[in-house]
């Protein structure tokens, strides 16, 4: 019986050290304004990244998923595009208004999944096109 307890204590200690080691190396740095976000992420969960954006900006997100996928990278651009890049590989819905973004993360997409539709109400005000988008639109590729 004492051997089992000793083994249990050793396993719990190892798990604690691993969890603390992973948390200590995770880092999320958020800077900028909603129209020009700079996000620098190193080994943080998607949940932690979205929580940091929620604290800094008028972003609200909900999910039934734990959002434990690890994220590393530098993301620059308008908040809505940064969030869209972060959620690449997930099924989600995003409502963008003039002063807020509301995101519902449905699930992680499986391999080979494709986007079926993106719906924007006709009455929604669209943000202005970037220079690259304008060039693409003028050449007839973006409708």
């Amino acid at each position: 019986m004492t051997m089992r307890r000793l083994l249990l204590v050793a396993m719990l200690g190892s798990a604690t050290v691993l969890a603390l080691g992973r948390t200590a190396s995770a880092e999320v740095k958020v800077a900028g304004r909603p129209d020009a976000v700079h996000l620098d992420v190193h080994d943080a969960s998607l949940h932690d990244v979205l929580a940091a954006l929620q604290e800094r900006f008028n972003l609200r997100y909900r999910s039934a998923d734990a959002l434990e996928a690890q994220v590393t990278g530098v993301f620059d651009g308008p908040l809505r595009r940064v969030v869209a890049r972060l959620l690449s590989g997930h099924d989600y819905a995003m409502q963008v208004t003039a002063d807020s973004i509301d995101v519902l993360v449905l699930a992680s997409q499986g391999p080979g999944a494709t986007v079926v539709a993106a719906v924007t109400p006709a009455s929604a005000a669209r943000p202005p096109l970037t220079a690259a988008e304008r060039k693409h639109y003028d050449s007839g590729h973006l409708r």
Side-chain angles (χ1 to χ4, degrees), residues 5-88:
R5 286 185 182 164
L6 184 60
L7 183 59
L8 180 62
V9 169
M11 287 174 37
L12 287 174
S14 297
T16 303
V17 168
L18 286 173
L20 290 175
R22 187 175 129 194
T23 305
S25 67
E27 185 176 23
V28 180
K29 294 180 183 176
V30 181
R33 304 174 319 274
D35 60 337
V37 175
H38 177 76
L39 178 65
D40 192 354
V41 183
H42 180 70
D43 265 350
S45 70
L46 183 55
H47 168 75
D48 292 342
V49 175
L50 291 173
L53 290 172
Q54 181 171 272
E55 281 181 29
R56 175 79 186 236
F57 303 112
N58 198 5
L59 168 81
R60 191 176 99 168
Y61 76 96
R62 295 167 288 156
S63 179
D65 190 0
L67 302 175
E68 290 299 322
Q70 294 298 301
V71 179
T72 297
V74 176
F75 304 86
D76 291 308
L79 181 59
R80 62 186 163 74
R81 289 191 185 152
V82 168
V83 172
R85 285 183 53 209
L86 287 168
L87 294 175
S88 176

Side-chain angles (χ1 to χ4, degrees), residues 112-135:
T114 58
V115 175
V116 176
V119 179
T120 302
S123 63
R126 294 189 178 167
L129 296 176
T130 64
E133 289 171 334
R134 170 57 63 192
K135 182 179 178 185

